[in-house]
Amino acid sequence: MDFLTYAFIFLLSMFLGVELIRKVPAQLHTPLMSGSNAISGITIVGAMLATAIAGDSRLTLFLAGLAVAFAMINVVGGYVVTDRMLAMFKHKG
C-alpha cells in the first residue's frame, strides 16, 4: 500500500474513535478505560516483538522503543485514573 492509503486509514480511524468516545455516557467511561488499557497492553507486546526483530535498523529500533514507552505510559496512567475513579465509589469507614 502507498502512503495515501495509510494516511486515509489513519484519518478514518481517528474520526471513528472520536465519534465513538463522544457517544459514550459518563457511567461507562471507567469500563471503557479498562478496555483501552487492555488494548495498550497488546500494543506493548507488539512493540516489544518489533523491537526484537528490528535487526540492524536503528530507525525501527528507535520507533519500536518509542512505541513501548508511550504504550507503557498509557497503561500506567490509565490504571491510576481508573483506580482513582473507583475509589470515589468506596464507602468511607
Side-chain angles (χ1 to χ4, degrees), residues 53-64:
I53 62 171
D56 294 334
S57 173
R58 289 184 187 266
L59 177 64
T60 306
L61 187 62
F62 173 73
L63 291 176

Side-chain angles (χ1 to χ4, degrees), residues 1-36:
M1 285 193 270
D2 61 340
F3 175 75
L4 190 59
T5 305
Y6 286 128
F8 176 73
I9 292 171
F10 180 70
L11 290 173
L12 184 64
S13 64
M14 280 183 15
F15 175 74
L16 187 63
V18 167
E19 289 300 314
L20 287 172
I21 296 297
R22 191 176 290 168
K23 297 189 186 325
V24 172
Q27 298 88 354
L28 295 177
H29 275 278
T30 300
L32 181 66
M33 285 183 64
S34 297
S36 76

Side-chain angles (χ1 to χ4, degrees), residues 53-84:
I53 62 171
D56 294 334
S57 173
R58 289 184 187 266
L59 177 64
T60 306
L61 187 62
F62 173 73
L63 291 176
L66 200 63
V68 170
F70 283 146
M72 285 299 294
I73 290 170
N74 191 21
V75 167
V76 171
Y79 280 118
V80 168
V81 170
T82 301
D83 187 49
R84 287 188 67 189

